[in-house]
Amino acid sequence: MRPVLFLSRILPVFAALSTIVLLTGFAQVPVCATAGSAALGGGVFATDVGGMYAAANGPEGVAAVVDGHRILLRDVQAICLRKNRAPIIDQMVQNAVLEQACTRAGIRVTAAEIAVGVEDLRRSVAPISLEEVMARHHSSLPEVQAAFKHKIQRVRLVAGQVPSVKMVHCRAILIRFSPPGAPPSVARTRRTEETARARMLEVQSQLADGKNLDGLAAKYSEAVPKAPMGDVGILYTGIHDIDPAVVSAALVLDKGGATEPVRTTEGFWILRAVSTSGAPAKSDAAAYRAARDRYVEEQSQFISPQFIVGLMDKAHLKFATDADCDPPSGTPLPEAAATVDGQIIPMPEVAAKCLAENGPRTVDILAQNYLVDAECRRRGIVVPESEIDARLAKLRRLIAPQTLEAGLEARHMTLEELRSGFRQDRERILLVAGQVKPPVMTHCRVISVKFQQQGPVTVAGVQARPQSEALLLLQDIQARLRQGKDFGGLASRTSEWEPKTERGDIGILSPGMRDMDTGVLTAGLALGAGAVSQPVRSAGAYSLVQCVSTSADHPKEEEAAYTAALTSYREQESQALVPQSLVSLIKKSRVVYYVHS
């Protein structure tokens, strides 16, 4: 198994929190975590800590106890490793090939350099303490220090690939104006563009009379922050926080040269080159070195990912399998989660990170699953295996030509887990379906006449029929209905509803139906048996809706269709009731989460 290179993790200081979803097609809610510790008797997760993992204040190796049922830490660990280890191992492999390359190149990063990065981070997260931020992200000071070390290493490894570019030290005058529609608080002025242009002409006139731009900047420039003599520092391609048009104008200047007014969205600029990287002033030498370092660091973010991929491609990599992550009871995990040219990526470290980032949610879901299964047993709710088989068959058809087996392998999932997920999905719905009250439902037919809409949206198959003509056609159909013509017969001959159905039949309507025009649905549900709606306008069509029957008044032969529609409606509405149902199950149960102290 070769993990994907996660570019978003190339230069992390803290790894993003990961989540685990055990079910396919149903988003489980971490209600144990969100219900609050008070509701759970003050319990907390055994796995919500950094470092080594062992249950404290409870049975050894137990992550949680649910009504006497033990959720074992080794099971939680196995799930987290199989489903979440790839990005963690990927980052550790990147770091390993990086360290090896730096050793070969003689690149060293000092403790002082790392300390500068850590202190910058400490200031940036204030007033929150760095220690609190690390705890939130299941990180530690050594991990943060290592992240800064690797960041510096990446820059230095590819620095030689960053080409030299022209840089210019400039001073400038900015005369602001407020673009149309921009609030003054954003534009920092109420001045119009014409007024700003006139003010800039005044500046140009004084420059033509021999006035110095440096002196005029103090009086006229509105750049923020306002620097002495209008100094905007060293400009180079790609510099942040400076309009690209300003940078482009500056980079064509030679020492002492000045631009014509440059219009940007914030105002008019005039720039003068104090010096260039080709002919730097002695006093600018340090500033040019700092600018060059910033440029190299910025460019390395684009170069280093592919460089690291190249290092990984050249390395001999070997990875633990899913089976290695879930050894038989009593058998320890393998020593290595991966090897990089013989260097071990320790499995215990990978397991610890997986548990820190994903353990709490995994324990939560396992607790939910146990409670749902137990409640279904108590109520006698059973999901037939044939129903699960049917859902698997449907999934196979949906993902073809890819095989289900290939999909499971890619997601580090077993067929039994998928079946269990489908079973849980159905059980959760069945537990709450009885709470959904039967709605008013109607069996309806429809006649639609399309028209060509104005603007970019068009209706397929309509030969530029205007809206007024479509309405007249529908009104003619209304007149024929009043004369006693059969709605179903007219629908078969005239309706342009898609997909075409026999006698315009659109089946049983229920509130909130998906894939049904809202106007048609609303009109149909308001009708009594035999009634026909007034014209209903929707996107690109006018429609008439006829109610054939209702849930309260329908022939016996329609009973099965109404029963199926009610089942579908209850399943749809049950989705919103499931989270609260789980919270209620948890509150009625004894759920204890152990914590490592």
Side-chain angles (χ1 to χ4, degrees), residues 31-146:
V31 293
C32 297
T34 58
S37 59
L40 305 177
V44 289
F45 290 109
T47 53
D48 197 13
V49 290
M52 300 303 293
Y53 290 84
N57 304 321
E60 183 179 355
V62 176
V65 176
V66 185
D67 289 341
H69 169 76
R70 293 183 173 189
I71 295 175
L72 301 180
L73 196 59
R74 70 175 303 278
D75 293 337
V76 176
Q77 177 179 267
I79 293 171
C80 290
L81 276 172
R82 281 193 294 107
K83 296 184 178 295
N84 305 103
R85 74 184 187 279
I88 293 169
I89 293 175
D90 180 75
Q91 186 63 56
M92 296 173 80
V93 168
Q94 290 180 45
N95 293 342
V97 297
L98 180 66
E99 292 277 7
Q100 291 171 359
C102 286
T103 298
R104 291 192 297 269
I107 293 173
R108 293 180 176 82
V109 179
T110 67
E113 291 173 309
I114 296 170
V116 169
V118 173
E119 288 309 306
D120 285 345
L121 178 62
R122 190 181 295 278
R123 286 191 293 271
S124 71
V125 301
I128 302 172
S129 71
L130 179 58
E131 289 68 27
E132 183 178 350
V133 174
M134 289 189 295
R136 287 181 186 178
H137 292 271
H138 311 289
S139 190
S140 64
L141 183 58
E143 287 177 309
V144 173
Q145 291 169 330

